[in-house]
Coordinates of all heavy atoms in Angstrom, one line a residue:
Chain A
R77 N 212.4 243.0 111.5 CA 212.6 241.7 112.0 C 213.9 241.1 111.5 O 214.2 240.0 111.8 CB 211.5 240.8 111.7 CG 210.3 241.1 112.6 CD 209.0 241.1 111.8 NE 207.9 241.4 112.7 CZ 207.3 242.5 112.9 NH1 207.7 243.6 112.2 NH2 206.3 242.7 113.7
R145 N 219.3 248.2 131.5 CA 218.7 249.3 132.2 C 218.8 250.5 131.3 O 217.8 251.3 131.2 CB 219.5 249.6 133.5 CG 218.8 250.5 134.5 CD 219.6 250.6 135.7 NE 220.9 251.1 135.5 CZ 221.9 250.9 136.4 NH1 221.8 250.3 137.5 NH2 223.1 251.4 136.1
V157 N 207.8 257.4 120.5 CA 207.8 258.0 119.1 C 207.1 257.1 118.1 O 206.3 257.6 117.3 CB 209.2 258.3 118.7 CG1 209.3 258.8 117.3 CG2 209.9 259.3 119.7
G159 N 205.7 253.8 118.5 CA 204.6 253.0 118.9 C 205.0 251.6 119.3 O 204.2 250.8 119.8
C164 N 209.8 248.8 115.3 CA 209.4 250.2 115.2 C 208.6 250.6 114.0 O 207.6 251.3 114.1 CB 210.6 251.2 115.3 SG 211.5 251.0 116.8
N165 N 209.0 250.1 112.8 CA 208.3 250.4 111.6 C 208.1 251.9 111.5 O 207.0 252.4 111.3 CB 207.0 249.6 111.6 CG 206.2 249.8 110.3 OD1 206.8 250.2 109.3 ND2 204.9 249.5 110.3
R168 N 209.4 256.0 106.7 CA 208.7 255.8 105.4 C 209.5 256.4 104.3 O 210.4 257.2 104.6 CB 207.3 256.6 105.5 CG 206.3 255.9 106.4 CD 205.8 254.6 105.8 NE 204.9 253.9 106.7 CZ 205.3 253.0 107.5 NH1 206.6 252.7 107.7 NH2 204.4 252.4 108.3
K173 N 207.4 258.6 110.0 CA 206.0 258.5 110.2 C 205.4 259.5 111.1 O 204.4 260.1 110.9 CB 205.7 257.1 110.7 CG 204.3 256.6 110.4 CD 204.3 255.1 110.6 CE 203.0 254.6 111.3 NZ 203.1 253.2 111.7
E197 N 231.0 254.1 134.4 CA 230.8 253.1 135.4 C 231.0 251.7 134.8 O 231.6 250.8 135.3 CB 229.3 253.2 135.9 CG 229.1 252.6 137.3 CD 227.7 252.8 137.7 OE1 226.8 252.0 137.4 OE2 227.5 253.8 138.4
E206 N 241.0 242.4 135.4 CA 242.1 241.5 135.0 C 241.6 240.3 134.3 O 242.1 239.7 133.4 CB 242.9 241.1 136.2 CG 243.9 242.3 136.6 CD 243.2 243.3 137.5 OE1 242.0 243.2 137.7 OE2 243.9 244.2 137.9
K306 N 198.8 256.6 102.5 CA 197.5 256.1 102.6 C 197.3 254.9 101.6 O 196.4 254.0 101.8 CB 196.4 257.1 102.2 CG 196.1 258.0 103.4 CD 194.9 257.5 104.1 CE 194.6 258.2 105.4 NZ 194.0 257.3 106.4
Chain B
G4 N 244.6 242.7 140.3 CA 243.4 242.6 141.1 C 242.7 243.9 141.4 O 241.5 243.9 141.8
I7 N 239.5 244.3 139.3 CA 238.4 243.5 139.8 C 237.8 244.2 141.0 O 236.5 244.3 141.1 CB 238.9 242.1 140.2 CG1 239.5 241.4 138.9 CG2 237.8 241.3 140.8 CD1 240.0 240.0 139.2
K16 N 228.0 249.5 144.7 CA 227.3 250.8 144.7 C 225.9 250.6 144.0 O 224.9 251.1 144.5 CB 228.1 251.7 143.9 CG 227.6 253.2 143.9 CD 228.5 254.1 143.0 CE 227.6 255.0 142.2 NZ 227.7 255.0 140.8
N17 N 225.9 249.8 143.0 CA 224.6 249.7 142.2 C 223.6 248.9 143.1 O 222.4 249.2 143.1 CB 224.8 248.9 140.9 CG 225.1 249.9 139.8 OD1 224.1 250.4 139.3 ND2 226.3 250.1 139.5
F32 N 213.8 250.2 138.3 CA 212.8 250.8 137.5 C 211.9 249.8 136.9 O 210.9 250.1 136.2 CB 213.5 251.6 136.4 CG 214.2 250.8 135.4 CD1 213.6 250.4 134.2 CD2 215.4 250.4 135.6 CE1 214.2 249.6 133.3 CE2 216.1 249.6 134.7 CZ 215.5 249.2 133.6
R46 N 201.0 256.1 121.9 CA 201.2 255.6 120.5 C 201.4 254.1 120.4 O 201.5 253.5 119.4 CB 202.3 256.3 119.9 CG 202.0 256.8 118.5 CD 203.1 257.7 117.9 NE 202.7 259.1 117.9 CZ 203.5 260.0 117.8 NH1 204.8 259.8 117.8 NH2 203.2 261.3 117.7
R48 N 201.2 250.4 120.0 CA 200.3 249.7 119.2 C 200.5 248.2 119.3 O 201.5 247.7 119.5 CB 200.5 250.1 117.7 CG 201.8 249.8 117.1 CD 201.9 250.2 115.7 NE 203.1 250.8 115.3 CZ 204.2 250.1 115.1 NH1 204.3 248.8 115.1 NH2 205.3 250.8 114.7
E73 N 196.4 245.8 101.9 CA 197.6 246.4 102.3 C 198.3 245.6 103.4 O 199.5 245.7 103.6 CB 197.4 247.8 102.8 CG 196.9 248.7 101.7 CD 198.0 249.0 100.6 OE1 199.1 248.5 100.7 OE2 197.6 249.6 99.6
M106 N 201.3 241.2 112.6 CA 202.6 241.5 113.2 C 202.6 242.9 113.8 O 203.7 243.5 113.9 CB 203.7 241.3 112.2 CG 203.5 242.1 110.9 SD 205.1 241.9 110.0 CE 204.7 242.7 108.5
C108 N 202.0 245.9 112.8 CA 202.8 246.9 112.1 C 202.0 248.2 112.0 O 202.6 249.2 111.9 CB 203.1 246.4 110.7 SG 201.6 246.1 109.6
E113 N 197.1 252.9 109.0 CA 197.5 253.9 108.1 C 196.8 254.0 106.8 O 196.5 255.1 106.3 CB 199.0 253.6 107.7 CG 200.0 254.6 108.1 CD 201.4 254.0 108.0 OE1 201.9 254.1 106.9 OE2 202.0 253.5 108.9
C115 N 193.6 252.8 106.0 CA 192.1 252.8 106.0 C 191.7 254.3 105.7 O 192.0 255.2 106.4 CB 191.5 252.4 107.4 SG 189.8 252.5 107.4

Side-chain angles (χ1 to χ4, degrees):
Chain A
R77 284 140 177 96
R145 190 177 61 198
V157 174
C164 298
N165 185 17
R168 287 290 175 272
K173 204 163 141 190
E197 202 179 86
E206 284 82 359
K306 278 266 170 213
Chain B
I7 297 177
K16 186 181 140 238
N17 271 279
F32 68 96
R46 228 172 251 161
R48 62 180 138 81
E73 296 293 354
M106 60 169 173
C108 65
E113 242 169 81
C115 177

